[in-house]
Each structure stands twice: as structure tokens, then as C-alpha cells.
Amino acid sequence: MSIKKIYIAAVLSLATFSCQNHDSDTEVNPEDIFSKTNIFPQPPSQWMGGYNPYYTEGYAGDVMPYYENEKFHLFFLHDAKTKPAGEGFHDIHSYETGNFTDFTYQGRQISYGTSSEADFGVGTGSLVKVGNTYYYYYTGHNEVASFLSGNPRESVLLATSTDMKNWTKVKNFKIAAPAGYYDYEFRDPHVFFNSEDGKYWMLVSAQTSDKKAVVLKFTTTNPSTGNWTVENPIYTTSSSENYIMLECPDLFKMGNYWYLVFSENWSSNPGTHYRISTSPNGPWTTPQNDRLDGSYLYAAKTVSDNTNRYLVGWTARKTPENNTGGKDWAGNIVAHKLVQNSDGTLGVKPVSGLQSVFAQNAALTVDKITGNASQNGSSFNLSANSQVTFSKLQKADQITFTLNVSAGKAGIILAQDSDTGSGVKIALEPANKRIAAYVMNAGSEDLMNSYSLSAVSGTSYTVTASISNDVCVVYINDKIAFTNRIYNIVNKKWSIFSSSESSFSNINIKNPN
């Protein structure tokens, strides 16, 4: 969990406004308001009811996925656009889905506490079921000066439930940073039963007293006792990495390998990273490309239905909310299917349900050709510095094609406005061994996001761009994903382009059924 500027606003409001009581507001059934979202869900408006002036819109922050009885329960930190004076933030909400394409909003699950409680700000966690009880371990965050005078800023807290709907906070449970660790940075508990060890493990993102980032391990034989024993870290950031925090850790086994997943947002390649080992305690190997998407997919964790494993995170919004804005915390939920390569490295591909979502073929209409390009049905050969512009996109589209290019840059332009020269260019760059997103504005091109192409060999790329409103996820050869926030795609023309000779074969546009 990354605590952002929202916290400062909440603290300031304590000093300048009196607390407001909204007990009289009626909380309505969330399914009466908003039952399904698009393929990249964002919290619905008016989830507290039409008469409550607060918390009517928001974004999805860190996702905490859990699977049971053929349903994925996607708990997430709710980042509200509007917050009441004197109240906390980032309460836990959830969606349910069986296929990662249809989502049912379940409303708020765990609320934040008061300014004198440890969970004035709620942070990332996870849940485990023991017997008939669900144990939800989550982060409590409070940096109000009066609270900090006698308490750590962050701690691990607990709520329990027997139906995964109604949660009771366990007031006498708290794990704070043990001796030798920094109590200001201690968050994101990840709990699971390790059958190889015969114990429940809890991983916590922490810092040593000298501020070195670690994934700290606690164990217990029975969560119901409330007794967790601290052990050694399973991972410590190296001097070359020098990560500030290893946020939202996740640990799982696939085949013969264990994988440690974590996120960090302070290096030159921020995003969701992973490590490989033959033991859950390490030592860990860093793959050549250790990120599972670009910098716009963050805090991603995994979940398995006992057949497949999925990576679920959020794609950042921008502030201000336009293509030249800066990357900000929270946005929409995005899910990928994880695949294991023969060498033990991981890849990602689209969830299978996307094929049934985008099943309606749409016409491919050429609007303009710039430079030299030849057309043969839905295929195009482009000479250097050429561009083919097509008609406007709808609010949800899927674009597929095969691109052959060996030099320069080639790809697509979205949210294109030829009058202002604005738009976002997604370019495959074989020589640079990367795919990159550039914000175009009046002739300039500013790098927004990039991701390695090392997992894809050769010069032929099968590209699938799934677009819903202002989220675009590009998959290449069913091996890598490149997620971006692109505003103003809807009702704008789009293009293919190339700075060298290239070919775009079998371009196809599909709309939802």
C-alpha cells in the first residue's frame, strides 16, 4: 500500500472541520445501484446511497484476491474522490467474478476506524479460512500526531467473518514491528497455509532499523490462537536494487518453483516484480525481465482456482485526468493470466473470457493515409514514416493484428487529434528491445511507460489491444502485457504507424456483444 497525499488532506480536515455524523443516511443494496462493470472495473458511484454527499465516486487501489466455490473475491482498497472532514480512508470493498470479465460489486466490507484508532487509514492485507472462520489480516495506518505519540504508525490488524460478508474487528489483536525493525513502515500482510512447512505463514513488507527493505516472515500453527512468531526475512533488497519498500508481497508455488511477487514505486523501473526459487525461503533468482507489466500496473497479487493462476492489480489514473497528467495512486482493476515458461520464468496472457466479450466484428474503415502505404484487404505495408488512420473507436474495442518490423518504431496511435497533434503512441521498438507508450502533444513525444520485449523473440509480433473507456492493455504473442491509462480514446480516430518499412497483417476490430 502506498499512502499518498490523501492522508495529508484527511489530517488537515481534522484540524479545520468538525466530524460529521452520517448515521442517518441509508446504505442501500449495492447491487441495486450497479451490478456489473466493464472489463476493467472501477468502484461505482453512490455506493452509500443517493442521499449521502460523500464517497459517491472512487478508484480501486491495492487488490487482495481470494478464491472459493468457483468465485474470485476481489477485495480492494477504495480510494474515494470526496472524503468527509475528519474521517479516515481506504476502507476495503470487493467485487465478485467467475471469469474476470463480469464483475458484481459487493460494497464495503471493512471500514476505516476513527482518528484515535490504528486503522484510521486501512491498508493492504489478505485472508485465510480456518475451519468455518475467515481471518482477514490488514494494515492499520495512522499518522495523526496525537496517535503517534504512543503508537506505531503502521501495524497488522485482524477482522473475522463466517460468511465473508459481515466482518468483526478483533480489537485486542495487533502485530507491530518487532525489535530491529522500523515501526513507521510495516504493512501489507500476506497470509497462506504452507503445506510443505505445515504452518500458516504471514509475510509483511517491512524495513530494518537501518531502513533496508525486507519481506519479513511470521508463522503460526493456528491463527485462532492469535500467536504469531517472527522469523527471519525471506527476502532483503540488494545493494543494487536498493528498493525503499517491497510492497504487497505474495508467495506461491507453481510446478517446481516458488515465486515471490512484490511491488515498488521508487526505482527507474517501478511496478510489480518477481523472484524465483526452489524454496519458499530463498535464495532468490532475479529473471532477466523481472517485471510482470509496465509501470502502470501496480500492487498486483495472484490468485489460483486450482487450475490457473491470475495476476490482479490496478492501473494508475492520472492527475489531472488527461494524457499529460502525472501518474497517481489507484484506478481500475486489471487481471492477467499467468503462464510458466519452460525455464521457470513467468509470462502473462489475456484471461480466456475476453474472447467472448469481444465477439462482434466491426468494419475497418480507412480515413486517411499519410506517406506511402499499400492495402490488401485488412493488411497494410507501410514505408518509412507512414501512417494509416482509421475511423473512430467506441468505448470498448479490441484491436488485433500481426506486426512485422525489424527496425525503428511501429505500432498504434490512440486518442488521436490531428488538429492539435495530441494522442498516445504505443510503439514496438525492436532495436531498443522494448514496447513504449509516448504522450504526443503539439509535435513532441514524451515517454510515459515502457516494458521489455526480451520475452518475445524474432521480429513478428501478434498484438491484441483490449480497450475499455480509458484503460488499454496490449498483449504481445500471449507472453507479455503492457497496461496504460489513455484518456479520450472514445470517439477518436486511431492509426497504425511506422518509422521504417513494416507490415500490419489481418487487422481486426471487435466490439462487445
Side-chain angles (χ1 to χ4, degrees), residues 373-386:
S374 60
Q375 178 181 1
N376 181 13
S378 61
S379 299
F380 296 81
N381 291 320
L382 275 65
S383 298
N385 302 317
S386 296

Side-chain angles (χ1 to χ4, degrees), residues 32-82:
D32 292 339
I33 304 169
F34 197 93
S35 61
K36 291 188 177 180
T37 70
N38 56 32
I39 57 174
F40 308 124
Q42 179 178 330
S45 63
Q46 297 185 331
W47 61 269
M48 266 191 165
Y51 296 104
N52 192 303
Y54 300 109
Y55 291 88
T56 57
E57 293 181 277
Y59 305 96
D62 300 357
V63 185
M64 299 154 274
Y66 180 80
Y67 178 80
E68 185 177 82
N69 296 331
E70 300 184 353
K71 282 191 177 180
F72 298 95
H73 302 264
L74 306 182
F75 296 90
F76 66 93
L77 300 182
H78 184 281
D79 188 35
K81 279 188 177 181
T82 307

Side-chain angles (χ1 to χ4, degrees), residues 29 56 90 103 107 213 241 340 355 388 394 404 417 421 489 495:
N29 183 346
T56 57
H90 290 174
F103 299 85
E241 296 167 348
Q340 187 181 50
Q355 295 178 0
V388 179
Q394 300 180 19
N404 280 277
D417 189 327
I489 295 178
S495 298

Side-chain angles (χ1 to χ4, degrees), residues 96-116:
E96 287 182 359
T97 181
N99 54 13
F100 290 106
T101 57
D102 298 303
F103 299 85
T104 304
Y105 176 64
Q106 299 298 308
R108 179 166 61 184
Q109 304 297 313
I110 300 175
S111 62
Y112 50 78
T114 67
S115 61
S116 61

Side-chain angles (χ1 to χ4, degrees), residues 210-437:
D210 58 357
K211 310 297 176 63
K212 186 174 288 292
V214 301
V215 177
L216 188 58
K217 182 177 79 172
F218 294 78
T219 62
T220 186
T221 56
N222 187 358
S224 67
T225 66
N227 298 319
W228 289 85
T229 301
V230 63
E231 300 190 15
N232 292 327
I234 67 165
Y235 190 82
T236 300
T237 189
S238 67
S239 57
S240 60
E241 296 167 348
N242 197 27
Y243 294 142
I244 295 175
M245 284 292 281
L246 306 166
E247 294 194 306
C248 302
D250 184 6
L251 182 65
F252 61 92
K253 190 176 186 182
M254 183 183 289
N256 296 322
Y257 295 101
W258 284 88
Y259 297 90
L260 173 66
V261 175
F262 61 87
S263 292
E264 63 80 29
N265 203 30
W266 302 273
S267 72
S268 59
N269 289 300
T272 299
H273 303 253
Y274 78 102
R275 301 290 184 263
I276 309 172
S277 179
T278 55
S279 164
N281 289 299
W284 299 94
T285 299
T286 302
Q288 179 184 2
N289 176 25
D290 77 322
R291 290 192 300 164
L292 292 168
D293 199 324
S295 64
Y296 270 73
L297 185 77
Y298 197 74
K301 300 185 71 171
T302 74
V303 62
S304 175
D305 59 4
N306 301 315
T307 300
N308 298 305
R309 186 167 289 271
Y310 300 89
L311 182 75
V312 192
W314 51 265
T315 185
R317 72 184 191 275
K318 292 187 175 187
T319 301
E321 293 195 48
N322 59 56
N323 288 327
T324 59
K327 186 171 62 174
D328 206 344
W329 195 87
N332 296 61
I333 294 174
V334 172
H336 307 312
K337 182 179 177 180
L338 275 180
V339 294
Q340 187 181 50
N341 300 315
S342 59
D343 62 356
T345 59
L346 296 176
V348 297
K349 63 189 299 184
V351 299
S352 58
L354 282 182
Q355 295 178 0
S356 60
V357 171
F358 295 103
Q360 185 69 40
N361 288 323
L364 182 70
T365 304
V366 174
D367 182 77
K368 182 181 179 181
I369 295 178
T370 303
N372 187 9
S374 60
Q375 178 181 1
N376 181 13
S378 61
S379 299
F380 296 81
N381 291 320
L382 275 65
S383 298
N385 302 317
S386 296
Q387 179 176 320
V388 179
T389 302
F390 303 100
S391 57
K392 296 178 180 178
L393 292 172
Q394 300 180 19
K395 77 173 187 175
D397 291 276
Q398 188 179 77
I399 302 170
T400 61
F401 56 85
T402 298
L403 169 63
N404 280 277
V405 61
S406 58
K409 302 177 181 179
I412 61 176
I413 301 173
L414 300 173
Q416 185 173 352
D417 189 327
S418 56
D419 293 334
T420 62
S422 62
V424 174
K425 178 180 288 187
I426 298 178
L428 282 87
E429 305 174 1
N432 293 328
K433 298 181 180 179
R434 71 177 187 179
I435 180 172

